[in-house]
Amino acid sequence: MVSLKVIKSIKEITNWGFSQPVILVPTMGALHDGHRKLIREGNAIKGNKGTLIVSIYLNPIQFNDPKDLDKYPRTFDTDYKVCEEEGVDLIFAPSDAEMYLNSSSVKVSENKLARELCGSKRPGHFNGVCTVVTKLFNLIKPKIAIFGKKDYQQLILIKDFIKERNLRINILGEDTIRESNGLALSSRNCLLTSEDKP
Ligand code: PAF
């Protein structure tokens, strides 16, 4: 069995000769069954010729609260196993130094939807998301990228942004998976106490 490839460097990912179509599932790791659903959809679409890539990158610039970033679960070894089980072809897991130059002052921003709903409580969050997603799309050049409908505002924002920038990437949204008590699966659920849960 060929072992699942992990690429950490920008040089390597940009020089890699992917077989087409390339399908990307962008994540911040701590993969759960909701991610498995996105990955399975990607696998079904790619057929036997394409390349299914999962990016695992905990993007610091989308966290407006440093404590939230500190607490965010980091589970790379388990994530690797999930990707292996689900037949992913490649994991892209860059470091912060690879993704952002020290002097980096350029951000991609959206100034309407990003200020509403969840964005109104998390200043800068969606600009951080748009910036990292732009980078991932530029590096990997996927034909299709798959996101969860759980983060519906994010999904709509990315779809609008693709149209606005004339990028030829098909953005798919997958349904939310829930626990039996109705709670949507999320990487942060492990931080909830039993009182926090429905
Ligand atoms: O939904 C997420 O996990 C993140 O916001 C994303 C899209 C991977 C960007 O960091």
Side-chain angles (χ1 to χ4, degrees):
M1 196 173 100
V2 189
S3 69
L4 167 59
K5 173 98 187 145
V6 179
I7 291 186
K8 297 190 171 181
S9 94
I10 284 187
K11 192 165 170 223
E12 202 179 350
I13 195 90
T14 41
N15 288 332
W16 198 261
F18 303 123
S19 13
Q20 302 293 333
V22 173
I23 321 284
L24 173 65
V25 178
T27 82
M28 297 202 297
L31 303 183
H32 50 70
D33 284 356
H35 292 112
R36 281 192 194 258
K37 188 159 193 285
L38 311 185
I39 295 171
R40 282 179 194 164
E41 179 63 17
N43 233 333
I45 299 169
K46 78 156 198 181
N48 45 22
K49 285 205 309 246
T51 310
L52 176 60
I53 302 179
V54 171
S55 62
I56 299 183
Y57 178 59
L58 190 50
N59 176 35
I61 69 161
Q62 71 184 73
F63 287 78
N64 56 305
D65 176 358
K67 282 193 223 128
D68 185 24
L69 175 60
D70 279 354
K71 280 189 304 197
Y72 202 91
R74 291 150 169 90
T75 58
F76 187 81
D77 292 348
T78 322
D79 295 344
Y80 181 93
K81 284 200 193 100
V82 170
C83 291
E84 207 170 36
E85 279 164 23
E86 296 298 335
V88 170
D89 296 303
L90 194 152
I91 294 175
F92 178 52
S95 64
D96 290 343
E98 282 286 316
M99 282 303 259
Y100 297 109
L101 303 172
N102 277 339
S103 58
S104 175
S105 59
V106 178
K107 294 223 169 64
V108 178
S109 64
E110 195 280 348
N111 293 312
K112 194 163 171 276
L113 188 54
R115 294 185 180 173
E116 293 169 22
L117 301 166
C118 170
S120 69
K121 311 240 167 4
R122 302 172 74 188
H125 166 68
F126 284 115
N127 291 348
V129 172
C130 288
T131 304
V132 79
V133 167
T134 305
K135 280 173 169 283
L136 292 169
F137 287 173
N138 283 338
L139 292 168
I140 294 170
K141 299 194 172 42
K143 186 173 164 36
I144 295 170
I146 310 179
F147 295 83
K149 286 189 187 163
K150 175 177 75 62
D151 299 306
Y152 201 68
Q153 189 176 4
Q154 167 174 280
L155 176 64
I156 300 303
L157 210 137
I158 291 169
K159 280 190 173 172
D160 284 359
F161 160 82
I162 290 295
K163 238 192 262 162
E164 179 79 25
R165 297 271 146 158
N166 310 108
L167 297 178
R168 291 165 67 186
I169 300 172
N170 196 355
I171 304 295
L172 302 184
E174 276 296 306
D175 287 343
T176 305
I177 307 270
R178 295 180 186 277
E179 287 180 13
S180 53
N181 59 13
L183 182 68
L185 294 195
S186 162
S187 302
R188 287 186 178 87
N189 286 1
C190 62
L191 304 172
L192 298 177
T193 62
S194 48
E195 284 90 68
D196 294 328
K197 291 198 175 178

